[in-house]
Amino acid sequence: HTPAKHRKVAIILANYPDKDGRIANGVGYDTPASTIAILDAMKDAGYTVGNTPSNGNDLIHRLSLTRRTHELGEVRLLLEEYLKHFALLPAANRAEITARWGAPETDPFVREGAFHLAVNLYGNAAVAIQPARGYNIDPKATYHDPALVPPHGYLAFYFWIRHHFSAHAIIHNGKHGNLEW
């Protein structure tokens, strides 16, 4: 029932295996161009979509920069906010995540007291790279192991989308992301 101009949509692009050359890949599908088309269709439908990249290559370039340097579209989730959300998970889940990945403040995406997220904002549209479900282990294992608990950076990403960006909808665009597994 939310008017289109107030709706917030997150478009999440897969990154498997976790490296810049694989961002938004899709066999037989131009995910970056499709994402631009989705953003344009949202604008035409009255959604508040800001100044978007001119094409798919520009979109991926911006996301790659955001992922590596956090210079463009810096999106952060403060560690103290993360800890509030994390505390609401069942104790067994918290214990398993901490046992596997360590304390949240040691996550590789934490700098200066905040998780730095690979998200670019275009008005009420967020285009993001789905984080890996694991660090420094076989990428295939992280995607295909349903028993592997996600690291803190992965949870921070989805906590931000749900509680801070307050997305009304999430589009997983392109080849399957790790939520499918």
Side-chain angles (χ1 to χ4, degrees):
H1 299 291
T2 303
K5 68 180 181 178
H6 297 298
R7 293 180 196 153
K8 292 186 173 187
V9 177
I11 302 173
I12 301 173
L13 309 176
N15 184 23
Y16 172 75
D18 188 27
K19 56 184 162 183
D20 283 353
R22 304 292 289 179
I23 294 172
N25 73 344
V27 178
Y29 180 62
D30 190 341
T31 306
S34 172
T35 301
I36 296 299
I38 291 168
L39 292 167
D40 289 344
M42 288 172 59
K43 281 182 199 177
D44 292 346
Y47 286 72
T48 303
V49 177
N51 188 20
T52 59
S54 58
N55 58 51
N57 288 341
D58 187 26
L59 173 75
I60 296 305
H61 176 72
R62 290 184 192 195
L63 283 169
S64 295
L65 280 175
T66 299
R67 181 171 181 250
R68 285 184 274 119
T69 65
H70 306 292
E71 290 175 1
L72 297 172
E74 175 114 7
V75 172
R76 296 178 291 162
L77 179 65
L78 294 175
L79 187 57
E80 64 190 56
E81 290 296 318
Y82 173 82
L83 291 171
K84 289 177 189 176
H85 301 303
F86 188 69
L88 297 174
L89 297 176
N93 294 112
R94 291 192 317 266
E96 190 175 358
I97 292 164
T98 303
R100 177 63 178 96
W101 301 111
E105 57 271 13
T106 65
D107 189 274
F109 290 98
V110 173
R111 288 195 333 263
E112 300 171 359
F115 285 89
H116 292 253
L117 308 173
V119 177
N120 286 341
L121 294 173
Y122 304 104
N124 286 345
V127 179
I129 301 169
Q130 185 177 48
R133 279 191 52 229
Y135 308 134
N136 303 318
I137 57 177
D138 176 15
K140 289 181 182 179
T142 66
Y143 267 70
H144 302 111
D145 181 357
L148 179 67
V149 293
H152 297 287
Y154 187 92
L155 292 172
F157 175 79
Y158 283 100
F159 287 160
W160 179 84
I161 288 172
R162 182 179 207 175
H163 301 291
H164 298 272
F165 180 64
S166 302
H168 292 92
I170 296 175
I171 299 169
H172 284 268
N173 192 29
K175 124 180 175 177
H176 56 78
N178 56 46
L179 282 180
E180 179 180 345
W181 304 104

